[in-house]
Amino acid sequence: MQGSYQIRPLAVAEIQTAVDWAAREGWNPGHRDAACFASADPQGFWGGFLDGQMVACISVVNYVEVFSFLGFYIVAPEHRGQGYGYALWQEALEHAGSRVVGLDGVVDQQGNYRRSGFELAYRNIRFGGVPGNRPAPPEGFDLSPLSAPTAELEALDARVFPAPRTAFWQQWLGAAGHRSFAAYKDGKLAGFGTLRPCGSGCKIGPLVAVSRPAAEVVLARLLQELPAGQEVFLDVPEPHAAAVDLARSLGLEPVFETARMYRGPAPLLDTDLIYGVTSFELG
């Protein structure tokens, strides 16, 4: 490393730079992701600055005393291979302390993540394309728009994510351009999901449901918000065969994949309820 290299937490405005870098890398973040991500842990986003200019970024977001999620690990292309990223990685991980840390990393970096104590849990596959055949959704469900977290939503989210994230949900569900709906069966929450605009097309995430019919109902309602002819992306845990099949039934094709890895014991999650991951950056 050369010059004066400083590592520090990012200010809220600087988090947008990390999101812009992610877009440049082809990760296709949402238009309103920066504010939503900052609400999860304002001290969880870090940058490495060479002579005052950011050359690397990473997020290590602490949710509770026992869990963190790592993302946005990017080094500017002209500064790669010089140690700036690894120095940032080491210092930012100290923010997590002894917490279990999860990440969705690019597959070809698994070896590097293992050397830092991370172990593979499963793959996530991003499906994308212009939806084709849209069968009529199952009957027997009631649909309602979502603009703020409810106790029922957070209880269902607790089955697929290992920590409460109320502040994040408040930002996520209320963000401009986000369209969120919940499905109810016999008066009980059966599923929920969000459609959000991205640099390219839109993403659906999360999509969480207690059954495939419930997922289909929410998905069908979200697709009504999708402009005609626009691409949509859905990030699916590979172990969940019904979710993979649902994505394929829309005519979507695999376009990208990540390795879900953990440092420490992998949380026990109901992955068979996850039809769409909330975000590769925050879990």
Side-chain angles (χ1 to χ4, degrees):
M1 291 188 292
Q2 299 178 351
S4 175
Y5 189 55
Q6 178 192 18
I7 294 172
R8 62 168 175 81
L10 297 179
V12 172
E14 292 170 325
I15 295 174
Q16 183 60 52
T17 300
V19 175
D20 292 342
W21 284 13
R24 186 180 64 192
E25 293 293 317
W27 299 354
N28 198 26
H31 293 325
R32 302 294 179 181
D33 283 4
C36 298
F37 293 166
S39 69
D41 177 2
Q43 297 297 308
F45 293 78
W46 294 69
F49 293 80
L50 181 62
D51 297 328
Q53 179 180 357
M54 192 165 83
V55 298
C57 62
I58 195 171
S59 62
V60 180
V61 170
N62 293 341
Y63 285 99
V64 289
E65 290 76 9
V66 295
F67 185 71
S68 298
F69 203 86
L70 184 153
F72 284 109
Y73 183 41
I74 307 171
V75 179
E78 65 272 23
H79 294 288
R80 292 174 183 173
Q82 301 173 49
Y84 298 114
Y86 186 59
L88 176 62
W89 168 280
Q90 290 180 302
E91 186 159 337
L93 267 177
E94 293 181 4
H95 179 63
S98 61
R99 294 172 174 85
V100 172
V101 182
L103 63 81
D104 280 318
V106 294
V107 173
D108 61 4
Q109 290 295 315
Q110 286 184 66
N112 290 332
Y113 300 141
R114 285 195 182 95
R115 284 189 283 275
S116 293
F118 288 82
E119 295 294 334
L120 178 67
Y122 53 83
R123 294 192 308 160
N124 287 310
I125 303 174
R126 173 165 294 167
F127 287 86
V130 177
N133 182 40
R134 303 186 192 184
E139 298 181 352
F141 292 88
D142 296 313
L143 281 162
S144 296
L146 274 173
S147 59
T150 65
E152 281 187 300
L153 181 147
E154 294 195 80
L156 184 53
D157 187 51
R159 298 175 62 183
V160 300
F161 194 80
R165 42 182 179 172
T166 302
F168 168 75
W169 281 123
Q170 289 171 340
Q171 285 284 341
W172 190 260
L173 296 175
H178 287 207
R179 300 290 184 266
S180 302
F181 292 90
Y184 296 86
K185 180 79 169 180
D186 299 326
K188 295 182 179 180
L189 180 66
F192 60 88
T194 297
L195 176 83
R196 76 189 195 274
C198 300
S200 175
C202 295
K203 285 183 186 175
I204 290 176
L207 179 57
V208 176
V210 300
S211 67
R212 176 162 174 168
E216 291 175 345
V217 166
V218 177
L219 180 60
R221 182 61 186 88
L222 293 172
L223 290 176
Q224 292 179 21
E225 303 292 318
L226 186 71
Q230 191 162 107
E231 286 187 305
V232 68
F233 299 92
L234 190 63
D235 300 332
V236 177
E238 187 184 37
H240 191 186
V244 171
D245 183 67
L246 180 58
R248 290 189 181 277
S249 73
L250 294 174
L252 307 183
E253 296 291 339
V255 295
F256 182 67
E257 66 179 70
T258 68
R260 170 61 63 90
M261 305 181 76
Y262 293 100
R263 185 192 73 177
L268 298 176
L269 304 177
D270 289 338
T271 55
D272 59 346
L273 305 185
I274 304 173
Y275 288 82
V277 177
T278 303
S279 158
F280 281 160
E281 293 80 17
L282 292 190

